[in-house]
Amino acid sequence: MESKFAHIIVFFLLATSFETLMARKESDGPEVIKLLKESESESWCKGKQFWPELIGVPTKLAKEMIEKENPSINDVQIILNGSPVPADFRCNRVHLIDNILGNVVQIPWVA
């Protein structure tokens, strides 16, 4: 009985340490989409700033889409989830956070 309990505890600890991989839709969180749109209009950087529709998309395809949608972006950095990101802000750079499977797991943003 104790070994089953230990397995359950380990399962829950592991399950909570991984990020959920799911695409987000506007119907899942309109308040998030609204905040992103508001922040785009207040930014001093030109063009699109966030790409919530790219969550779950293969990273290389997402990079191409970002460069196509905002021509001022010329530095798309692909960063493994959990790795540190540069702290300085530049209007020409986007952080693409991916997992070991090569899919986008966080909303790409100009950073």
Side-chain angles (χ1 to χ4, degrees):
M1 182 70 168
E2 288 180 32
S3 109
K4 286 184 181 180
F5 183 70
H7 283 103
I8 292 170
I9 297 297
V10 169
F11 172 80
F12 282 116
L13 289 174
L14 286 172
T16 58
S17 67
F18 289 99
E19 268 191 56
T20 306
L21 298 177
M22 67 170 70
R24 294 187 182 135
K25 301 177 290 199
E26 192 163 341
S27 62
D28 292 338
E31 63 279 349
V32 172
I33 304 300
K34 181 180 175 191
L35 286 172
L36 292 176
K37 287 179 182 175
E38 287 174 3
S39 66
E40 284 179 13
S41 64
E42 297 171 3
S43 176
W44 59 86
C45 296
K46 295 183 180 181
K48 191 170 181 178
Q49 306 286 305
F50 298 91
W51 290 265
E53 68 276 9
L54 295 180
I55 292 179
V57 172
T59 309
K60 291 181 182 182
L61 177 61
K63 179 180 181 202
E64 292 172 8
M65 293 173 72
I66 289 168
E67 291 170 340
K68 182 180 177 184
E69 290 183 7
N70 188 342
S72 65
I73 303 296
N74 60 15
D75 184 13
V76 178
Q77 296 184 349
I78 298 172
I79 302 169
L80 184 61
N81 192 24
S83 300
V85 295
D88 63 320
F89 181 84
R90 296 189 316 198
C91 287
N92 69 326
R93 178 175 63 200
V94 170
H95 292 148
L96 261 179
I97 309 298
D98 76 342
N99 60 11
I100 59 172
L101 301 174
N103 296 319
V104 177
V105 294
Q106 290 184 19
I107 296 173
W109 72 99
V110 172

